[in-house]
Amino acid sequence: MKFGISTFVTDDGIRPDALGTALEERGFEPLFLAEHSHIPSGTTAPDGTELGRVYYRTLDPFIALTAAASATKNLVLGTGIALLIQRDVIHTAKEAATLDLLSGGRVILAVGVGWNKKEMRNHGTDPRTRGRLLDEQIAALKAIWTRDEAEFHGDHVDFDPIHMWPKPVQRPHPPVYIGGQSSAALARLATQGDGWFPVHATPDEIAQVRESLAAQGRTGVTLNAPADQGDLATLGKFAEAGADRATFHLDTLPESATLRKLDELAAVTERFRN
């Protein structure tokens, strides 16, 4: 089982290029960056608690990952998650393909529907139809990436034939991971996902999803488990359940504090391997 890091990169924490270098030096495979374009005033977390400042100070993930790409050679560069329903799908296709080209084919695009309905509405997205919109956007992305002349005609995404380059280095396209644990997210994973990126999951849930995917003929899907540095036993259970990767959430901190934390996490992964 491989190990990765997910985090919010902001203007008051470690820079993404320094973070990328530190991760590669310590043997972490992917870096997943969260996305929020903005936070409407007065927003609270889904559980009603105060929302942390990282949510409204997050850097654009594609630009931040480009900085990380320039400082590394092998680090996998992921969104975790990109709020595709708040984005123009053609622009996103170009941004992701450009990053894949510049990085030599190291991109993972993890996407989801998000939870902040006010944020969605500010982008003109109807929260009631965001799942159907995301399904069409994923299909449209793949069409743009894989066809010289792509077109798409759906209820929420609709465009006549277009030319869009660059195409991604990865073939047929960068892997698209599905975020979320809902029944709709799992259905989307089975039909459109190359990987699963849940915020919360148990070893039993990983095993159930693996079994369900296999029953549907989906045997090559990457399953990403959320890791707890203080629970080596559960890491082992995730591996036994069929997880391909465990990802630690990294708090947003200044560079010196981040490096100390990464040393701790690297020690955890070393103990697990031994």
Side-chain angles (χ1 to χ4, degrees):
M1 188 168 64
K2 298 179 180 179
F3 292 93
I5 293 292
S6 66
T7 191
F8 290 78
V9 169
T10 75
D11 61 331
D12 57 2
I14 187 172
R15 288 174 52 91
D17 49 352
L19 177 59
T21 298
L23 293 177
E24 191 163 79
E25 289 174 347
R26 290 161 177 79
F28 291 98
E29 183 212 33
L31 167 63
F32 291 102
L33 295 188
E35 174 179 46
H36 281 280
S37 61
H38 69 289
I39 294 296
S41 296
T43 299
T44 57
D47 61 2
T49 59
E50 183 178 355
L51 203 62
R53 60 189 277 127
V54 295
Y55 285 87
Y56 54 82
R57 302 190 76 99
T58 301
L59 304 189
D60 176 272
F62 292 99
I63 296 175
L65 288 169
T66 300
S70 70
T72 58
K73 293 183 178 180
N74 301 304
L75 184 71
V76 178
L77 311 158
T79 57
I81 60 174
L83 297 175
L84 190 57
I85 62 163
Q86 299 177 182
R87 290 177 150 269
D88 178 88
V89 70
I90 299 173
H91 273 141
T92 302
K94 181 175 283 288
E95 287 182 334
T98 299
L99 177 58
D100 202 56
L101 176 70
L102 295 177
S103 67
R106 292 189 272 150
V107 170
I108 293 172
L109 183 67
V111 300
V113 297
W115 57 268
N116 193 326
K117 294 182 180 179
K118 290 182 180 179
E119 183 181 355
M120 299 171 204
R121 292 191 182 100
N122 285 350
H123 286 279
T125 300
D126 185 345
R128 296 171 298 180
T129 58
R130 65 189 188 272
R132 283 169 282 172
L133 169 61
L134 180 60
D135 289 337
E136 291 188 9
Q137 287 180 311
I138 294 171
L141 277 175
K142 293 178 180 180
I144 295 169
W145 285 335
T146 58
R147 301 176 192 168
D148 289 352
E149 191 171 275
E151 63 181 296
F152 193 90
H153 302 287
D155 294 329
H156 304 279
V157 178
D158 186 23
F159 53 86
D160 290 329
I162 63 171
H163 299 291
M164 196 292 292
W165 266 260
K167 300 299 184 187
V169 171
Q170 296 180 82
R171 294 290 186 265
H173 52 72
V176 176
Y177 286 17
I178 305 300
Q181 300 86 240
S182 68
S183 58
L186 293 175
R188 186 172 297 118
L189 173 66
T191 57
Q192 295 181 288
D194 303 301
W196 188 34
F197 193 80
V199 176
H200 306 288
T202 66
D204 285 345
E205 288 169 333
I206 291 288
Q208 290 165 8
V209 169
R210 179 66 78 197
E211 183 178 353
S212 175
L213 290 170
Q216 299 173 75
R218 300 296 314 282
T219 57
V221 178
T222 299
L223 301 187
N224 192 93
D228 180 347
Q229 74 172 98
D231 193 351
L232 283 176
T234 298
L235 283 178
K237 292 177 182 178
F238 275 131
E240 293 171 1
D244 301 285
R245 180 191 298 118
T247 298
F248 297 98
H249 176 74
L250 179 69
D251 288 338
T252 303
L253 300 166
E255 182 170 339
S256 58
T258 298
L259 298 181
R260 289 194 295 271
K261 186 63 177 180
L262 289 177
D263 286 338
E264 292 178 14
L265 293 175
V268 171
T269 65
E270 186 65 24
R271 289 198 300 272
F272 175 80
R273 293 188 178 102
N274 293 333

